[in-house]
Amino acid sequence: MTISLFQCVLIGLWSGFCLAGMLFGIYTNRCLVMAAGVGLILGDLPTGLAMGAVGELAFMGFGVSQGGSVPPNPMGPGIVGTIIAITMKDSGIDVGSALALSFPFAVAFQFVITATYTFATTLTETAYKALDRKDFKGFRLAANATIWVFAAVGFLIGFGGAFSSEGLQKLISFIPGWLSTGLGVSGKMLPAIGFAMILNVMAKRELIPFVLLGYIAIAYLNLPVMGVAVLGTAVALMVFFHAGRGGDSFVEEVEVEFEDGI
Amino acid sequence: MVSNKLQKNDYIKTSLRAYFLQNGFNYGNYQGLGYANMLFPALRKMYKDDDDQLQAALKENLEFFNTNLHFVPFITSLHLVMLENNTPAKEIRSIKMALMGPLAGIGDSLAQFCLAPLFATIGASLAQDGMIMGPVLFFVAMNAILLAVKVLTGLWGYKLGTNIIASLSEKMEIISNIASMIGVTVISGLAVNFVKITTPIRYVANMPDNQQKIVAIQDMVDAIAPKLLPVLFTGLIFYLIKVKKWSTYKLVILTIVLGIALSVLQLIA
C-alpha cells in the first residue's frame, strides 16, 4: 500500500497536533488517540484501533515515570507503529510485531524531546532580555516557543514516517520469519510492563483485594470492562461508606463475601 | 481606576490559560515562563498604564515553577487575589511555592494514576473490539473532567483564599482513594486479559488400555488457574520493577528477547 503526499501531510499535521497536546495536557499524545487518527487518515480504522489498544496498554506505565524523566514517546507505536501495521498488513506484520518494531522509534523520539527541553532553556534568558526592554511581545513569543518547536518536531516525525514508509517496508521485508513471529509474541507480552509499572505506582498493600477482584472478574467471570469498573466502584463505595467503623478489616470481609458469591 | 479591578471573568480566563502553562517548558525553569505567561493578561489589566510594574511583576514570576497543570488555577487565582489586596511579593511567593508541591502530588495522582489509566484501559478494550468509541471516550472523558478541575480549582482559589487548601486536600484524598480502588480493579483485570501468553507444548501419553492421548500443557495450566501464564509474567515484571528496580529499557529488552527465544524454541505462542 502506498501513501499519497496528501496523506503524508495530514499525518504530519496530526502528529504535530498530538505532540503539542502533550504540553497542553489534553491527552492527545497517547497511542490510543494517535493510532485512531492515523487509521482514519490511511483509511484503515480497524487496524488503527487495534494498534492503538495494544500500544496504549504497553505504554500506559511510561506516562507515569517519576522523577521528571522523559519516558519513551507513544508516537513510536501511535504514529510509526500504526503506519507499519497498516502498510505492511499483507506481508505478515500484525499489531504485536508492529509494536515491537516501533519501540526503537519511541526511544529515539524520547531523545528528541529531551533535546528540545534542553535547548529551550535559553528561552528564559530571551524572556528576561525582552522584559528588560519592556518588549512584552518578545516575552510572550519566548513563553510560547517550546510548543511551536513541539508542533514542528511532531510534523516532521509524522510526515517523515509516512513519506518513507516504502523504505521502512523494504527494510522490514528483510526480517526473517522466525524473528517477526517472535516479535509478535513479544508484542503480546509487552503490555505486562505497562500494567506492572502502573500497578507499582498505584497498588498499595491495602489495595491487594482489588487486584484479586479484577483478576476474578476477568479470568473467571469474563465480565466486560464496564462491568469490572462498576463492580470495582461498588466495592470501593462499600469500603468508603464503612471506612468509619470497619476500618481495614472490612476490606477483607468484602472480598470474602464476593468470592462466596461465585 | 475601577476598570483595573479584576472581575470573576478575569479569574476564569486566567484559569483556562492553564493550557498554556507548558508552552515554554524547558529544563531551566520548567513551567516558570508559562506561569508568568498565564498571569500576563490579568497583570496587563491590573497595571494598565504602568509598564514598569508589569515588567517587575512578570520578572518576579519567571523563576522556577513546576506543578500539575490541571490544579495550577488554584495557585494563580490565589496569587491574583493577594496581589489585588496588596500582599507583599515575598508572602505571595512563599505561598506560591508552598502550594506547588502538594498540588502537583494531588493533581498527578488524580490525573495520571487514576483517571488516565482508568479511561485508557476502558478505551483500549473498546478499541480492541474495533469501536471508535474507545479513543473518543478516552479523549472526551479526560478533557471534560480536567477542564472542570481547572475551572473549579480556579474559582475555589478565587473565593476561599488560603485556608481552603487543608480541607481541599482532604476531599481530594477521598476522591483519589476511591478512584485508585476502581483503577486497580480494572487495571489488574485487564492485565490478565491483554497480556497473552500460551504454550503450544503437547505430548503423547500412553493410556492403560493401549490408546494414545495427546495432552496439551495449556489445558493443565488452565485447570490450575485461568490466565496463569500472563499473571506469572506480569508478576515477574512487577517484582523486577519493585524489588530489583529494573529500568524500563531492561524490561523491554528482556521481554523482547524472551518472546523471541521462547517462540523459536516453541515453548510459548
Side-chain angles (χ1 to χ4, degrees), chain A residues 188-189 191-193 195-196 199 211-212 214-220, chain B residues 187-198 218 221-222 224-240:
Chain A
K188 287 184 204 145
M189 292 163 73
I193 300 178
F195 284 114
L199 284 175
V211 175
L212 296 175
Y215 170 69
I216 294 164
I218 293 278
Y220 286 96
Chain B
I187 288 166
S188 40
L190 286 172
V192 293
N193 216 12
F194 276 97
V195 183
K196 293 195 183 83
I197 309 170
T198 52
Q218 184 61 43
V221 174
D222 284 342
I224 301 168
K227 313 269 187 192
L228 183 62
L229 294 179
V231 169
L232 289 178
F233 183 67
T234 311
L236 169 73
I237 299 285
F238 184 82
Y239 167 80
L240 291 175

Side-chain angles (χ1 to χ4, degrees), chain A residues 23-75:
Chain A
L23 290 180
F24 286 135
I26 55 173
Y27 287 86
T28 48
N29 188 51
R30 301 285 288 218
C31 202
L32 188 61
V33 177
M34 290 189 290
V38 173
L40 272 180
I41 293 169
L42 294 181
D44 187 353
L45 190 57
T47 308
L49 289 172
M51 187 67 212
V54 171
E56 178 65 38
L57 296 167
F59 273 66
M60 192 166 57
F62 292 133
V64 297
S65 73
Q66 294 133 311
S69 63
V70 181
N73 197 283
M75 287 230 296

Side-chain angles (χ1 to χ4, degrees), chain A residues 110 131-132 134 202 215 225, chain B residues 52 55 59 113 125 226 249:
Chain A
Q110 167 191 24
L131 283 180
D132 281 338
K134 294 207 177 101
M202 286 178 72
Y215 170 69
V225 189
Chain B
D52 288 332
Q55 180 194 36
K59 271 190 169 180
F113 304 152
S125 80
Y249 296 114

Side-chain angles (χ1 to χ4, degrees), chain B residues 22-258:
Chain B
Q22 306 195 104
N23 278 14
F25 191 92
N26 63 79
Y27 279 151
N29 64 1
Y30 283 66
Q31 301 162 343
L33 274 170
Y35 189 85
N37 188 29
M38 241 184 109
L39 292 181
F40 183 81
L43 292 175
R44 179 80 269 189
K45 189 174 178 186
M46 284 174 76
Y47 310 125
K48 214 169 196 167
D49 310 303
D50 195 342
D51 277 3
D52 288 332
Q53 269 194 296
L54 178 61
Q55 180 194 36
L58 287 174
K59 271 190 169 180
E60 255 163 33
N61 288 297
L62 274 185
E63 64 202 353
F64 174 90
F65 189 77
N66 198 32
T67 192
N68 180 274
L69 99 150
H70 312 295
F71 282 76
V72 71
F74 185 77
I75 304 182
T76 50
S77 288
L78 219 53
H79 190 145
L80 292 174
V81 171
M82 290 188 289
L83 261 187
E84 286 213 301
N85 292 308
N86 298 316
T87 313
K90 222 178 174 180
E91 273 178 42
I92 296 182
R93 167 184 286 144
S94 67
I95 288 174
K96 175 182 157 190
M97 292 296 161
L99 287 176
M100 181 170 94
L103 283 184
I106 296 170
D108 287 351
S109 64
L110 182 77
Q112 290 193 44
F113 304 152
C114 299
L115 294 175
L118 183 65
F119 286 113
T121 39
I122 293 175
S125 80
L126 290 176
Q128 191 91 343
D129 298 336
M131 276 186 277
I132 182 75
M133 265 311 287
V136 172
L137 174 89
F138 169 75
F139 182 72
V140 172
M142 287 305 293
N143 280 293
I145 294 172
L146 294 175
L147 175 64
V149 167
K150 286 185 189 80
V151 174
L152 288 178
T153 51
L155 289 177
W156 263 331
Y158 168 57
K159 278 181 190 157
L160 297 162
T162 33
N163 55 358
I164 182 70
I165 188 68
S167 70
L168 177 75
S169 59
E170 209 171 89
K171 260 182 216 153
M172 287 311 309
E173 206 187 322
I174 295 172
I175 293 174
S176 93
N177 271 345
I178 292 183
S180 22
M181 291 178 201
I182 303 166
V184 166
T185 312
V186 173
I187 288 166
S188 40
L190 286 172
V192 293
N193 216 12
F194 276 97
V195 183
K196 293 195 183 83
I197 309 170
T198 52
T199 173
I201 309 172
R202 292 158 188 277
Y203 65 91
V204 179
N206 288 313
M207 302 300 276
D209 50 353
N210 259 348
Q211 277 186 322
Q212 289 189 326
K213 194 185 169 200
I214 296 168
V215 180
I217 298 287
Q218 184 61 43
D219 293 341
M220 292 161 68
V221 174
D222 284 342
I224 301 168
K227 313 269 187 192
L228 183 62
L229 294 179
V231 169
L232 289 178
F233 183 67
T234 311
L236 169 73
I237 299 285
F238 184 82
Y239 167 80
L240 291 175
I241 294 172
K242 185 128 197 153
V243 182
K244 296 282 174 190
K245 310 277 178 215
W246 275 36
S247 70
T248 43
Y249 296 114
K250 276 166 95 179
L251 293 169
V252 168
I253 292 166
L254 172 81
T255 308
I256 291 181
V257 169
L258 261 184

